[in-house]
Amino acid sequence: MSSPSTTTTLLDGALRAQPATGTPLTGPPAADGPGSRSTVRQLVLALLCAGYAVGSALGWGSDRLALVMGDFGLAAAAGAAAVSCFLYARGRRVRFRPAWLLFGISSAMAALGNVVWGWYEVVLDRPVPSPSYADLFFLCFAPPAIVGLLVLAARPVTKAGWVCLALDAWLIAGSLLTLSWSLALAQAAQTGGPSVTHAALTLAYPLLDIALVSMVLVLHFRRSSVNRTAVNTAVGALALTVVCDALFTSPLLHHTYRSGQLLDAGWFAGSLLLAYAPWAAGRRQGQDDDGHTRVVHEHVPGQSRPGHPQARPPAPGGDPGRYPGTRPITGSLAALTPYLAAAVCTLGILYNVLDGHSVDRVVLLTGGAVVLALVVRQAIMLLDNIALTQELAQQEKHFRSLVQGSSDVIMIAAPSGVLRYVSPAAAGVYGRPAEELVGTELAHMIHPEDLGCVVHEVRRFLAASPKEEPTTRIECRFRSGRGGWLNVESTVNRHHGGLIFNSRDVTERVRLQAQLQHNAEHDPLTDLPNRALFTRRVQQALSGRRSSDRGTALRNTAVLFIDLDGFKAVNDTIGHQAGDELLVQAARRLQDAVRQGDTASRLGGDEFAALIVGDGTRDRGARQRHILELADRLRITLSQPYLIDGNEVRVAASIGVAFAEPGLGAGELLRNADLAMYRAKAGGKGRVELYRPQMQQDVVRKAALATRLRAALHEGEFALLHQPVVRLEDGRISSVAAHARWRSSQGVLFTPEEFLRVAEGGDRAAELARWTLEKAVEQAADRAASGLNVPVVVRVGARRLLDRAMPPGSVEALLTRHGLPSGSLVVELSDIEPDVSLDELERRLGSLRRLGVRIALDGFGGGCVAITALRRLPVDVLKLDHGLVEGVVESARLHKITSGLLRIAGDLGLQSVAEGVDLPEQIVALRAMGCTHGQGMAFSGPLDEYRLRRTLARGHCPVPHGSAEPAFAGGGAGVYTGGVPAVLGGGSLGGGTALRSHNETPVPPT
């Protein structure tokens, strides 16, 4: 923060940096640029004129050569001027094309007149007669030039302007006519020669010259600012020609003139100047007009930049053609023109009076006409000035009403940075009266933190071209009289070396923009940074470090990915409002747990994240232990009970941790933490897991397997195997359970655990379930048609059964299409999760039972959900959980639990099936408890269709007979003792010999 004196100096320097005159920023022109070519042309022109003047002064060395150069030399110069004007007028982007065509015609007349003059003097070698054809051409020189000058003059846009133009021309012409008539023309008219024609010819030349001089002077004050260099050169050329004509017609030289004298050098120079005039500006003028050359100019109202007519403001009164903007000296001379004309007329009359002669009537008439024109012109000017004054007063009144009634504050700052004017709106915007602000430094009102940017923008704006950048916009903080700072937006314009600020209060807009920006980057519920802002901060943490400590700090930066386990159950049980309150409390706990420089974020739903920025710790192991301890404390904190509406709600937190590595982007780091979090959930939830590269490999493998699974369903790589369900009492096969197996095209056999885990959720799981059901029904119908009518059991998840992809009508259509008898399909219901609607499931199962489909409940005894489902759902078969069957022989507790469950099934009149029966002891024990059916390797493994038909043809599987009493050691684990006589495969087994289990039938190669 700089002191006030320093800031004032900075702003003062910025305002004073604006140059008073135009200074090209592009440097001097190159040696081969337009400027150098223009210099070469001017040098050649000067050498030609000087050479001709020297030759004329020396008489060209001979009379003959003097006649040739005096006649044909002037004709060549005039012809060059005509050709030059005609060529320039043919251009595509030529302003005032008619004027240059007229100048070309005028020069052509002069060239023809000199050719005729030379024909008499050089070719015929005799004096030029008077009058002659040369006089005709010379007289035709002035009228086109006069009209061309009128074209170049700024054209008035009102009738009063045209009248003033005519009066100005007459004032100049009349005054010159009065003076010249008094001095010479009266005498020439009296001694005009032998004929009237000769006398008229004698007066025609000076009168046309007077008219031409009048137009030259009028054009000087009223010329257009477009292509000013070319216009000035053309005016100078015609002025030089008129001067030479006046000297030629004067009595001093008229009778002694001969071709080739020094007077011809003036005509020669005038013709060459007119030839050079169209090309005088070269390309530099075009560049100015097109805006390609950047020049710094001071912009002063009422004053234009050279070469930029569009920059000149209109004259007061809104009539840009009535009084075009000119330089101050030029404007003064234009105002004095009427009085100078009157003075010239007075001199002409005084000359006659003082000379003792009577005043000529021509002088009196001309002088009277000049005086009358002067009176009329002044009257028009007086009326015009009155109208302009009224219009100016009206505009000033209008401007004051606009400024005083505007809600914007208008301030004018002098080049020193001091405020010279402040509009009354400052009291309402800044809380300070305008009178108090006038005379203060502008820098004192700007916030010190914004002053540097303001000074930089002001300097840049003042250095820019006013045409390319007439205004700029600056936004900064201004001191308020009520205390504090206001956000102010100002439109800045140049004004007499200073600046005009049109300012408005945009504090509310800035506050709203900041609020919108905050809302776009923060979660609306918890006010934590959202995913976009969190990702950006992670990217800054990975790339915004100093190079000296970036390696260590980068590796110590970590991202924690957090998921609340059981949050969906909170929404489903006590409502979404309670779930939102839980999220708010969890966010507050997360925010309190991280450090000041770390970032806590809600990514969406019940997913949170935390960015732990690195420190200077060199020991990575210690840093890793510290982060894992922090993650574990955070897990414990988030798993504490939440008090919502007076009730305690519990959820767990699974956290994945990933550390930054060199070359790792923000997206990849977040992905790694996400993978670690999902590994924590898969490992039992409520855990902290550190990311390892193997996780990404597993994801890639799973994705590749999922892609291959999609293709396998369409390419016939799946096969259906069946495992018999046997009645424990006599070994008869009561049904067969269908199982899908996948042998890939590479010969790899995937177990159901592998590809079913890949197919969890999504379209692939639904497609696989549909395929299994259709294939099982199709094969069961084929077996029934061949006399082997055994019900088929198909496992279907509860969520899949409620999916719209498997409506009730689809199962009925499937049974009808294949002609499967009623009662031949058993749907084994599995995966009844807490969020599954039992009401919908009950309706769905009821519709299936009406189709003759039997319902089996899988996993009975494995959780409380199965008991709830047994109470609500229409079930025909209970299938014991595999964990109960596996330990029923060794564990007395499991023995009692299983016995109780089987008793419940018997009391309800339901058929019971034990899954995973692999040992003969399990068969004996389960049969003793009252279990009716079994399925497992003790009877048969999964069979392909050929072996299944052979087994079904036999109709039964061997089971052990007799009974055995369990003997549990210490009331704990134990085994069945005693002999278990059984007949298996036609052979008898002695007591204590285990039954041989069947191996799974391999899938035939495809």
Side-chain angles (χ1 to χ4, degrees), residues 724-728 732-736 791 793 823 826 854-858 860 870 875-880 901-914 930-935:
V725 178
V726 180
R727 192 163 61 185
L728 299 182
R732 291 189 61 81
I733 300 175
S734 60
S735 61
V736 291
V793 181
V826 180
R854 301 173 65 201
I855 308 300
L857 183 62
D858 183 38
F860 185 65
L870 181 62
V875 178
D876 302 299
V877 180
L878 287 179
K879 199 167 188 178
L880 292 178
L901 293 175
L902 291 174
R903 193 177 305 114
I904 292 174
D907 293 343
L908 294 176
L910 302 177
Q911 180 181 344
S912 57
V913 178
C931 183
T932 59
H933 294 78
Q935 172 188 344

Side-chain angles (χ1 to χ4, degrees), residues 346-358:
T346 304
L347 289 177
I349 296 173
L350 288 177
Y351 175 79
N352 283 270
V353 174
L354 294 178
D355 198 29
H357 299 90
S358 61

Side-chain angles (χ1 to χ4, degrees), residues 139-327:
L139 289 176
C140 292
F141 166 80
I146 293 172
V147 179
L149 290 174
L150 281 174
V151 174
L152 288 180
R155 300 179 181 180
V157 295
T158 62
K159 295 180 180 179
W162 283 106
V163 172
C164 287
L165 178 62
L167 290 175
D168 289 344
W170 169 244
L171 286 172
I172 297 174
S175 61
L176 292 178
L177 178 60
T178 302
L179 184 60
S180 59
W181 189 272
S182 300
L183 294 177
L185 293 183
Q187 183 180 358
Q190 293 175 1
T191 60
S195 64
V196 177
T197 305
H198 187 273
L201 187 62
T202 303
L203 294 177
Y205 280 108
L207 292 178
L208 288 175
D209 288 340
I210 289 173
L212 188 57
V213 168
S214 301
M215 292 312 304
V216 167
L217 292 177
V218 170
L219 179 62
H220 177 71
F221 298 123
R222 293 178 172 271
R223 65 183 181 274
S224 174
S225 58
V226 178
N227 205 358
R228 181 173 297 179
T229 303
V231 173
N232 288 340
T233 305
V235 171
L238 294 175
L240 182 58
T241 302
V242 169
V243 170
C244 293
D245 287 345
L247 292 175
F248 172 75
T249 57
S250 65
L252 297 176
L253 299 178
H254 183 67
H255 299 290
T256 60
Y257 170 78
R258 289 195 59 189
S259 296
Q261 292 180 351
L262 189 60
L263 185 60
D264 292 345
W267 281 316
F268 185 84
S271 297
L272 290 187
L273 278 176
L274 190 57
Y276 170 72
W279 319 96
R283 295 185 180 178
R284 183 170 50 199
Q285 184 72 29
Q287 287 179 347
D288 249 354
D289 293 340
D290 295 340
H292 296 308
T293 303
R294 188 178 182 183
V295 183
V296 179
H297 291 283
E298 180 182 6
H299 178 75
V300 180
Q303 181 174 339
S304 65
R305 293 164 48 195
H308 288 270
Q310 64 274 23
R312 175 180 293 121
D319 185 359
R322 186 185 299 172
Y323 298 106
T326 58
R327 292 170 295 180

